[in-house]
Amino acid sequence: MPGHQSRPIAVVIAEKNPLLQSSLVKLLGGDERFTIAGVANDGQRFLELLDKTAFRVGVIGWEMPVIDGRGVLQSLRGRTDAPRLIVYTGSANPDVPRQAMTLGAAGFCSKREPPEQLVDTILAVATGRMVFPFIDVASLASDPLAGLTPRERELLAALAGGLTNQQMATQLDISLNTVKFHLKNLYDKLAVGNRAQAVAFFLKGREPR
């Protein structure tokens, strides 16, 4: 098929609900753009699979037994060889996307969305993008973060996740110079002088009002 990528995206799914797990396997396994590299019932099994299987994207729950989504993200923080992770959850906690972002997830998708939304999120994340819902649409007009480009938002989230410039370059598949260029623009827009101030600005901007 013209324009179709030649190699399927290898995905591992960590989902505690057996019915949903089988539905996801059917959804992705029936799409030639993906290949199911493994399935886990909890975060610990997911991490075990990581050491045995090569895959590009992990779809993980937030509320899982043994090791939850937060624990998985914390375990992989700073690992340059880690797959890109999408938190897929039905949690009603509006702060979960922000938490997932700051812990280094590459994307977030709610189980309330149509299945096609998860497919689109996996495709985007596999190409190096970060996919998160905008946290508070009502505060857009007064939010300085609203003036950032999508790439600047990605870098700000990566900063908050503790990544170095080199790790950000690797994760986003851009050069170190490009990272530095975007960070300079980011600091200028937020009127801050360094990464610590930028992270503080980011976290303050996400506090409940």
Side-chain angles (χ1 to χ4, degrees):
M1 189 179 296
H4 208 277
Q5 62 182 50
S6 56
R7 182 178 296 178
I9 299 165
V11 180
V12 167
I13 298 165
E15 170 54 53
K16 66 180 180 181
N17 183 317
L19 287 176
L20 180 55
Q21 188 185 100
S22 61
S23 296
L24 292 176
V25 169
K26 188 178 295 184
L27 172 71
L28 301 177
D31 190 320
E32 62 182 12
R33 294 172 295 181
F34 308 105
T35 180
I36 304 296
V39 179
N41 300 317
D42 58 62
Q44 181 172 310
R45 291 179 183 273
F46 176 84
L47 291 173
E48 290 170 358
L49 278 171
L50 182 63
D51 293 327
K52 304 173 187 173
T53 311
F55 59 100
R56 201 182 333 171
V57 177
V59 177
I60 65 172
W62 186 250
E63 297 164 348
M64 296 188 293
V66 191
I67 299 177
D68 61 10
R70 172 189 289 277
V72 170
L73 289 167
Q74 288 173 331
S75 296
L76 299 183
R77 207 166 180 177
R79 274 183 60 165
T80 55
D81 62 337
R84 311 207 77 210
L85 300 184
I86 296 167
V87 171
Y88 185 56
T89 179
S91 171
N93 183 348
D95 197 47
V96 171
R98 182 193 66 82
Q99 292 182 46
M101 184 188 291
T102 57
L103 286 168
F108 175 91
C109 185
S110 171
K111 290 176 180 176
R112 296 181 180 83
E113 298 289 342
E116 294 75 26
Q117 182 67 37
L118 177 61
V119 171
D120 290 344
T121 301
I122 295 172
L123 290 171
V125 161
T127 62
R129 291 171 52 198
M130 293 178 75
V131 182
F132 288 90
F134 199 85
I135 309 299
D136 185 3
V137 177
S139 66
L140 269 174
S142 60
D143 185 1
L145 299 177
L148 303 181
T149 66
R151 179 63 86 192
E152 287 163 356
R153 287 176 186 276
E154 289 178 337
L155 287 171
L156 183 55
L159 281 179
L163 270 63
T164 65
N165 286 6
Q166 185 58 62
Q167 287 170 333
M168 285 188 280
T170 301
Q171 186 179 78
L172 300 175
D173 196 25
I174 57 180
S175 73
L176 193 55
N177 283 339
T178 301
V179 168
K180 291 176 180 175
F181 171 78
H182 285 307
L183 286 180
K184 182 182 182 302
N185 288 341
L186 173 63
Y187 295 163
D188 287 346
K189 288 183 180 181
L190 297 182
V192 298
N194 56 48
R195 61 196 299 131
Q197 291 173 355
V199 170
F201 194 105
F202 172 80
L203 296 176
K204 184 178 180 182
R206 292 297 187 260
E207 289 174 355
R209 288 176 172 82

